[in-house]
Amino acid sequence: MIFGATGDLANRKLFPSLYRLFEKGNLSERFAVVGVARRPLSNEEFQENVKNSVQSAIKDSTRLDEFASHFYYHSHDVTDSSSYLALKSMAEDLDNTYGLEGNRIFYLAMAPEFFGTIAVHLKQDGLTETNGFKRLVIEKPFGHDLESAKELNSQIRHAFSEDEIYRIDHYLGKQMVQNIEVIRFANALFEPLWNNRHISNIQVTSSEVLGVEERGRYYEKSGALRDMVQNHMLQMVALLAMEPPIRLTTDEIRSEKVKVLRAMRPLEGDMVHEHFVRGQYGKGMLDGEQVPGYREEPMVDSESNTETFVAGRLTIDNFRWAGVPIYIRTGKRMAVKSTKIVIQFKDIPMNLYYETGQTVNPNLLIIHIQPDEGITLHLNAKKSGNQLEANQVKLNFSNKSGSGINTPEAYEKLLYDCMRGDATNFTHWDEVALSWSFVDKISEVWENHKAKNFPNYEAGTMGPEEADQLLAKEGFSWWPVADLDVDNC
Ligand code: NAP
């Protein structure tokens, strides 16, 4: 059951992802999808919508009619308690028709303020009373801070146990984010070097070219810290920094990630100003066109204090990471769209090539997450010719060119995991709570100290100068993400 089946997420992501699963044979014939939303639609109209959204995402969709015939629509206001019973009887009929054995997934693709009400009704009206499995899939944002997240959690826990709740962080569905684990734990080469003896710093960048677009109302209340850092950025850091789990099971991996979040040094008071930088975009040029500043965007306060950029230095207080800064940055209206992780290894103890006037570049391992997917390793090797000169070489793997496999959409992977009951790539409540408690302390300081210099970066740049100073004071600088692209190597 998809609640919010006429919305943007359902149309752009969920229907095309379900179709891909269907076409690959990962979804058997024994499935039915009930779309729930307020506007009145017949089953046929809904099926037409489903076909249209699949077609606009996938060119060669040859089994559309067959696929869409599994879709049914129920017009229903989720705040109206009287119509859950009708939904229940529809679910029971479909259960019989398709032989679903009582297995039910409830996907809440709607605003979080409805999650609690829906969960309560699903239980109260008997939709969760089933002989098969019942699972709840929910979207971010999971609360606005720790308090609201706790409240939301207690509402949904009323109807679902923790292991029945699948909190989506779509970054965790991305191939290359999942690849962090494989690169680290399936190669003898990296794990022995993965510590403060050999790594000098780690940089995680997730930059967007788009501005806030029509999401001004939501973004004004959220900002980059809550929208990106609390979930996606900290999840990537947890995967990078965790200890090898004893087994690759959901519980073991989650428990190692939780340990990283617990070891992350909390920032309070002046430490926030020292370790975190916020920014807001002003007008600027992108692709030769003038774009407005954040404060000029629709539904944004003309004196808004909301950050559209965050950079920060994270410290993980454990034996492995003591002394290694982990820098993160994310923002809107930046120069390039890129999500990348750069692991910079320490310099060699002495440069034997110094006499020839050469600097030896540090070794870098770059994990390209989006839009390009791949891994690059920067090494030094001899330049061809007579002189003994070291030259930077880049060993490159691109998912596009290398494997020749079309990377599945994150939502496709996550939906499939949920159907199979694999919660590894979803966030556990403990992770959510720890990330909020880290982020809340930063927001508290920022809310009490209005940013005086907003807007402080031009649209089309890589953020405010203070973000560069954050690294410069420790002798580092951001690796220019555009130059590191797989295609540029
Ligand atoms: P949206 O386009 O505004 O869709 C909201 C859906 O909820 C519509 O189908 C709407 O249909 C339905 N709805 C609203 N009030 C309702 C009510 N009282 N009873 C029943 N149905 C109701 O939102 P969205 O962009 O799809 O986002 C959905 C959720 O996913 C949000 O939590 C969002 O933060 C999250 N999310 C979205 C994206 C994305 O790419 N869009 C990405 C990450 C997370 P009717 O008007 O017909 O009722």
Side-chain angles (χ1 to χ4, degrees), residues 138-239:
I138 46 179
E139 276 293 336
K140 77 162 200 190
F142 195 83
H144 180 73
D145 52 18
L146 182 59
E147 268 322 296
S148 56
K150 273 187 186 163
E151 200 182 313
L152 181 57
N153 204 45
S154 74
Q155 287 172 329
I156 58 176
R157 285 295 305 273
H158 177 75
F160 296 88
S161 63
E162 177 60 33
D163 60 3
E164 290 170 332
I165 301 170
Y166 290 69
R167 297 179 192 82
I168 290 237
D169 183 322
H170 67 269
Y171 268 54
L172 295 182
K174 292 186 188 297
Q175 290 296 298
M176 277 297 148
V177 171
Q178 295 179 3
N179 211 354
I180 297 174
E181 194 183 289
V182 183
I183 294 167
R184 289 192 53 197
F185 306 133
N187 291 302
L189 194 62
F190 295 121
E191 197 49 31
L193 306 180
W194 214 260
N195 55 49
N196 54 9
R197 280 191 300 286
H198 301 285
I199 290 179
S200 79
N201 73 93
I202 296 179
Q203 302 178 10
V204 185
T205 299
S206 187
S207 55
E208 281 179 71
V209 170
L210 289 180
V212 72
E213 315 239 280
E214 69 288 352
R215 292 173 73 221
R217 198 196 311 273
Y218 158 76
Y219 205 81
E220 273 288 88
K221 286 191 254 139
S222 154
L225 185 69
R226 292 188 174 101
D227 189 48
M228 288 295 294
V229 176
Q230 183 271 334
N231 35 58
H232 312 315
M233 303 301 278
L234 293 186
Q235 281 294 325
M236 287 193 280
V237 169
L239 286 168

Side-chain angles (χ1 to χ4, degrees), residues 219-224 278-280 294-295 300-309 443-455:
Y219 205 81
E220 273 288 88
K221 286 191 254 139
S222 154
R278 57 184 152 163
Q280 189 190 73
Y294 177 68
R295 290 177 177 184
V300 170
D301 184 343
S302 57
E303 289 178 24
S304 174
N305 196 38
T306 303
E307 78 288 348
T308 60
F309 173 96
S443 350
E444 204 181 294
V445 173
W446 282 356
E447 271 153 31
N448 292 333
H449 295 84
K450 227 170 168 262
K452 293 192 190 82
N453 58 350
F454 276 4

Side-chain angles (χ1 to χ4, degrees), residues 402-423:
S403 61
I405 299 167
N406 268 340
T407 316
E409 259 272 354
Y411 276 94
E412 178 187 336
K413 166 84 180 119
L414 293 173
L415 280 165
Y416 189 47
D417 282 356
C418 174
M419 288 172 200
R420 290 181 304 132
D422 180 352

Side-chain angles (χ1 to χ4, degrees), residues 4 6-9 12 38-39 76-78 109-110 139-140:
T6 55
D8 177 67
L9 181 72
R12 270 191 323 111
R38 285 169 306 183
R39 70 198 70 172
H76 160 84
D77 185 329
V78 295
M110 23 190 317
E139 276 293 336
K140 77 162 200 190

Side-chain angles (χ1 to χ4, degrees), residues 417-481:
D417 282 356
C418 174
M419 288 172 200
R420 290 181 304 132
D422 180 352
T424 314
N425 297 311
F426 296 81
T427 37
H428 188 275
W429 165 245
D430 292 347
E431 298 169 64
V432 175
L434 285 162
S435 327
W436 273 129
S437 62
F438 179 78
V439 157
D440 276 359
K441 294 198 176 73
I442 301 171
S443 350
E444 204 181 294
V445 173
W446 282 356
E447 271 153 31
N448 292 333
H449 295 84
K450 227 170 168 262
K452 293 192 190 82
N453 58 350
F454 276 4
N456 60 350
Y457 71 99
E458 249 178 62
T461 64
M462 283 310 280
E465 255 177 57
E466 291 95 315
D468 297 333
Q469 288 154 12
L470 187 72
L471 275 68
K473 61 189 179 197
E474 294 184 288
F476 300 119
S477 56
W478 293 104
W479 288 95
V481 285

Side-chain angles (χ1 to χ4, degrees), residues 50-65:
V50 171
K51 286 197 259 183
N52 290 339
S53 56
V54 174
Q55 253 166 346
S56 52
I58 305 166
K59 272 188 228 116
D60 314 317
S61 34
T62 49
R63 293 175 65 200
L64 262 185
D65 287 328

